[in-house]
Amino acid sequence: MIEKFSYISKSASDSIRLGKKISAHLESGDVIGLNGDLGSGKTTFVKGILEGLNYDGDVTSPTFTLINEYYADMKVIHVDFYRDENIQRWKNLGFHEIINNNDIILIEWSNLIEQLLPSNVNIVNFEHASENERKIYIK
């Protein structure tokens, strides 16, 4: 479980460092929702989490694949609801099984299908603070 925080990122490397720092607090079974506008740093933050979990491969947004899996110190499932808000399709894909295992689950655009989220989800919000700055926070 992640504690509440607020952070102003001044660059992609700042967001990666924050994700890396957050990774130290993650435990098996954690579900993290990542909400914010396009280009606000969600996938960049995920890169930092994975770096903190000793993953050294490419990290990409699952916008078109819907789900990416990464094998690091802990298995990480990276999901993106942006292109498909069809609840039944997600159920058919086994989403309930995915979020009810011991992997770390990171869900971009989790606000688009909130009814599929478990009660223990942590929501990290991303906002454009300026052209080069992002506000990243948990309320």
Side-chain angles (χ1 to χ4, degrees):
M1 192 78 150
I2 305 171
E3 294 185 25
K4 293 179 183 180
F5 70 89
S6 182
Y7 182 81
I8 298 293
S9 171
K10 296 182 186 290
S11 66
S13 58
D14 270 359
S15 296
I16 289 171
R17 274 192 297 277
L18 178 62
K20 189 173 180 178
K21 182 178 176 183
I22 294 295
S23 73
H25 301 281
L26 296 179
E27 299 175 356
S28 294
D30 280 348
V31 179
I32 313 295
L34 308 167
N35 298 327
D37 293 332
L38 288 171
S40 59
K42 297 179 294 294
T43 302
T44 302
F45 180 77
V46 170
K47 288 177 183 181
I49 288 175
L50 284 160
E51 186 178 310
L53 296 173
N54 296 311
Y55 180 78
D56 62 359
D58 290 333
V59 177
T60 59
S61 173
T63 299
F64 295 101
T65 59
L66 303 180
I67 301 170
N68 291 340
E69 294 184 1
Y70 300 100
Y71 297 88
D73 290 345
M74 294 181 270
K75 184 177 174 186
V76 175
I77 308 290
H78 185 192
V79 178
D80 193 325
F81 286 166
Y82 182 71
R83 293 187 56 83
D84 195 340
E85 297 179 49
N86 183 320
I87 293 172
Q88 191 57 50
R89 179 155 187 235
W90 284 102
K91 288 180 179 180
N92 292 345
L93 287 170
F95 186 74
H96 285 295
E97 290 80 13
I98 290 169
I99 61 169
N100 289 308
N101 62 33
N102 286 324
D103 301 329
I104 294 173
I105 313 299
L106 306 173
I107 308 168
E108 293 194 34
W109 299 93
S110 67
N111 56 307
L112 296 180
I113 314 179
E114 291 178 334
Q115 54 271 52
L116 288 179
L117 302 177
S119 60
N120 65 332
V121 66
N122 287 284
I123 302 295
V124 180
N125 299 287
F126 297 78
E127 294 178 1
H128 292 275
S130 70
E131 185 177 332
N132 296 317
E133 295 180 332
R134 306 294 185 261
K135 181 178 181 183
I136 305 171
Y137 62 95
I138 292 181
K139 293 181 183 175

